[in-house]
Coordinates of all heavy atoms in Angstrom, one line a residue:
Chain R
Y68 N 28.7 -21.9 -41.6 CA 27.3 -21.5 -41.4 C 27.2 -20.1 -41.1 O 28.1 -19.4 -40.8 CB 26.7 -22.3 -40.2 CG 27.5 -22.1 -38.8 CD1 27.2 -21.0 -38.0 CD2 28.3 -23.1 -38.5 CE1 27.9 -21.0 -36.8 CE2 28.9 -23.0 -37.1 CZ 28.7 -21.9 -36.3 OH 29.3 -21.7 -35.2
V69 N 26.1 -19.6 -41.3 CA 25.8 -18.1 -41.2 C 25.7 -17.8 -39.8 O 24.9 -18.3 -39.1 CB 24.6 -17.6 -42.0 CG1 24.3 -16.3 -41.9 CG2 24.6 -18.2 -43.5
P70 N 26.6 -16.9 -39.4 CA 26.4 -16.5 -37.9 C 25.3 -15.7 -37.5 O 24.8 -14.9 -38.4 CB 27.8 -15.8 -37.6 CG 28.1 -15.3 -39.0 CD 27.6 -16.1 -40.0
P71 N 24.6 -15.8 -36.4 CA 23.6 -15.1 -36.0 C 24.2 -13.6 -35.5 O 25.3 -13.5 -35.3 CB 23.0 -15.8 -34.8 CG 24.2 -16.5 -34.2 CD 25.0 -16.9 -35.4
Y72 N 23.2 -12.7 -35.6 CA 23.7 -11.4 -35.1 C 23.8 -11.4 -33.7 O 22.9 -11.8 -32.9 CB 22.5 -10.3 -35.6 CG 22.9 -8.9 -35.3 CD1 23.6 -8.1 -36.2 CD2 22.6 -8.4 -34.1 CE1 23.8 -6.8 -35.9 CE2 22.9 -7.1 -33.8 CZ 23.6 -6.3 -34.7 OH 23.8 -5.1 -34.3
N73 N 24.8 -10.8 -33.2 CA 25.1 -10.7 -31.8 C 24.8 -9.2 -31.4 O 25.6 -8.4 -31.7 CB 26.5 -11.1 -31.3 CG 26.7 -12.6 -31.2 OD1 25.8 -13.2 -30.9 ND2 27.9 -13.1 -31.6
A74 N 23.7 -9.0 -30.7 CA 23.5 -7.6 -30.4 C 24.4 -7.2 -29.4 O 24.5 -7.7 -28.3 CB 22.0 -7.5 -29.9
T75 N 25.3 -6.2 -29.7 CA 26.2 -5.7 -28.7 C 25.5 -4.6 -27.9 O 24.7 -3.8 -28.5 CB 27.5 -5.3 -29.2 OG1 27.1 -4.4 -30.4 CG2 28.3 -6.4 -30.0
V76 N 25.8 -4.5 -26.6 CA 25.3 -3.4 -25.9 C 25.9 -2.2 -26.0 O 27.1 -2.0 -25.9 CB 25.3 -4.0 -24.3 CG1 24.8 -2.9 -23.4 CG2 24.5 -5.2 -24.1
V77 N 25.2 -1.2 -26.1 CA 25.7 0.2 -26.3 C 26.3 0.7 -24.9 O 25.3 0.8 -24.1 CB 24.7 1.1 -26.9 CG1 25.3 2.6 -26.9 CG2 24.4 0.7 -28.3
Q78 N 27.4 0.9 -24.6 CA 27.9 1.1 -23.4 C 27.5 2.5 -22.9 O 27.1 2.9 -21.8 CB 29.5 1.0 -23.3 CG 30.0 -0.4 -23.5 CD 29.7 -1.2 -22.3 OE1 29.8 -0.8 -21.2 NE2 29.5 -2.5 -22.5
K79 N 27.7 3.4 -23.8 CA 27.3 4.8 -23.3 C 27.2 5.8 -24.6 O 27.8 5.5 -25.6 CB 28.6 5.3 -22.6 CG 28.3 6.4 -21.6 CD 29.5 6.7 -20.8 CE 29.3 7.6 -19.8 NZ 30.5 8.1 -18.8
L80 N 26.1 6.6 -24.5 CA 26.0 7.4 -25.6 C 26.0 8.9 -25.0 O 25.2 9.2 -24.2 CB 24.8 7.3 -26.3 CG 24.6 8.1 -27.6 CD1 25.4 7.6 -28.8 CD2 23.2 8.4 -27.9
L81 N 27.0 9.7 -25.4 CA 27.0 11.2 -24.8 C 26.4 12.1 -25.8 O 26.9 12.1 -27.0 CB 28.4 11.5 -24.5 CG 29.0 10.9 -23.2 CD1 30.4 11.4 -23.0 CD2 28.2 11.4 -22.0
D82 N 25.4 12.8 -25.5 CA 24.9 13.8 -26.4 C 25.5 15.0 -26.3 O 25.4 15.7 -25.3 CB 23.4 13.9 -26.1 CG 22.7 14.8 -27.1 OD1 23.4 15.4 -27.9 OD2 21.4 14.7 -27.1
Q83 N 26.4 15.4 -27.3 CA 27.2 16.5 -27.2 C 26.6 17.7 -28.1 O 27.2 18.7 -28.3 CB 28.6 16.3 -27.7 CG 29.4 15.4 -26.8 CD 29.7 16.0 -25.5 OE1 29.9 17.2 -25.3 NE2 29.6 15.2 -24.4
G84 N 25.4 17.4 -28.3 CA 24.6 18.6 -29.1 C 25.1 18.6 -30.5 O 24.8 17.6 -31.3
A85 N 25.6 19.5 -31.0 CA 25.8 19.7 -32.5 C 26.8 18.8 -33.0 O 26.7 18.3 -34.0 CB 26.1 21.1 -32.8
L86 N 27.9 18.5 -32.2 CA 28.9 17.6 -32.7 C 28.8 16.2 -32.1 O 28.5 16.0 -30.9 CB 30.3 18.1 -32.2 CG 30.7 19.3 -32.9 CD1 32.0 19.9 -32.2 CD2 30.9 19.1 -34.4
L87 N 28.7 15.2 -33.0 CA 28.6 13.8 -32.6 C 29.8 13.4 -31.8 O 30.9 13.6 -32.3 CB 28.3 12.9 -33.7 CG 28.3 11.4 -33.3 CD1 27.2 11.0 -32.3 CD2 28.2 10.6 -34.6
M88 N 29.7 12.9 -30.7 CA 30.8 12.2 -30.0 C 30.2 10.9 -29.7 O 29.5 10.8 -28.6 CB 31.3 13.0 -28.8 CG 32.6 12.5 -28.2 SD 34.0 13.6 -28.3 CE 33.8 14.6 -27.0
G89 N 30.5 9.9 -30.3 CA 29.8 8.6 -29.9 C 30.7 7.6 -29.9 O 31.8 7.6 -30.3
K90 N 30.4 6.6 -29.1 CA 31.2 5.3 -29.0 C 30.6 4.3 -30.0 O 29.5 3.8 -29.7 CB 31.1 4.8 -27.5 CG 31.9 3.5 -27.3 CD 31.9 3.1 -26.0 CE 32.6 1.9 -25.7 NZ 32.8 1.6 -24.3
T91 N 31.1 4.2 -31.0 CA 30.5 3.3 -32.0 C 30.8 1.8 -31.6 O 31.8 1.5 -31.2 CB 30.9 3.6 -33.4 OG1 32.3 3.4 -33.6 CG2 30.6 5.1 -33.8
N92 N 29.8 1.0 -31.9 CA 30.0 -0.5 -31.6 C 29.9 -1.2 -32.8 O 28.9 -1.1 -33.6 CB 28.7 -0.8 -30.7 CG 29.3 -1.2 -29.4 OD1 30.1 -2.1 -29.2 ND2 28.7 -0.6 -28.4
L93 N 30.9 -2.0 -33.1 CA 30.9 -2.8 -34.4 C 30.6 -4.2 -34.0 O 31.2 -4.8 -33.1 CB 32.2 -2.6 -35.1 CG 32.8 -1.2 -35.1 CD1 34.2 -1.1 -35.7 CD2 31.8 -0.4 -36.0
D94 N 29.9 -4.8 -34.9 CA 29.7 -6.2 -34.7 C 30.7 -7.0 -35.6 O 31.6 -6.2 -36.0 CB 28.2 -6.7 -35.1 CG 28.1 -6.6 -36.6 OD1 28.8 -5.9 -37.3 OD2 27.3 -7.2 -37.2
E95 N 30.8 -8.2 -35.6 CA 31.9 -8.8 -36.2 C 32.1 -8.4 -37.7 O 33.3 -8.7 -38.2 CB 32.0 -10.3 -36.0 CG 30.7 -11.0 -36.5 CD 29.7 -11.2 -35.6 OE1 29.4 -10.2 -34.7 OE2 29.1 -12.3 -35.3
F96 N 31.2 -8.0 -38.3 CA 31.3 -7.6 -39.7 C 31.7 -6.2 -39.9 O 31.7 -5.6 -41.0 CB 30.1 -7.9 -40.5 CG 29.8 -9.4 -40.5 CD1 28.7 -9.9 -40.0 CD2 30.7 -10.2 -41.2 CE1 28.5 -11.2 -40.1 CE2 30.4 -11.6 -41.4 CZ 29.4 -12.2 -40.8

Side-chain angles (χ1 to χ4, degrees):
Chain R
Y68 60 83
V69 179
Y72 182 94
N73 283 325
T75 52
V76 175
V77 177
Q78 294 288 325
K79 203 172 186 181
L80 183 87
L81 285 174
D82 186 346
Q83 294 293 321
L86 290 170
L87 170 64
M88 190 117 77
K90 177 175 182 172
T91 58
N92 243 307
L93 309 175
D94 73 340
E95 57 264 49
F96 293 114

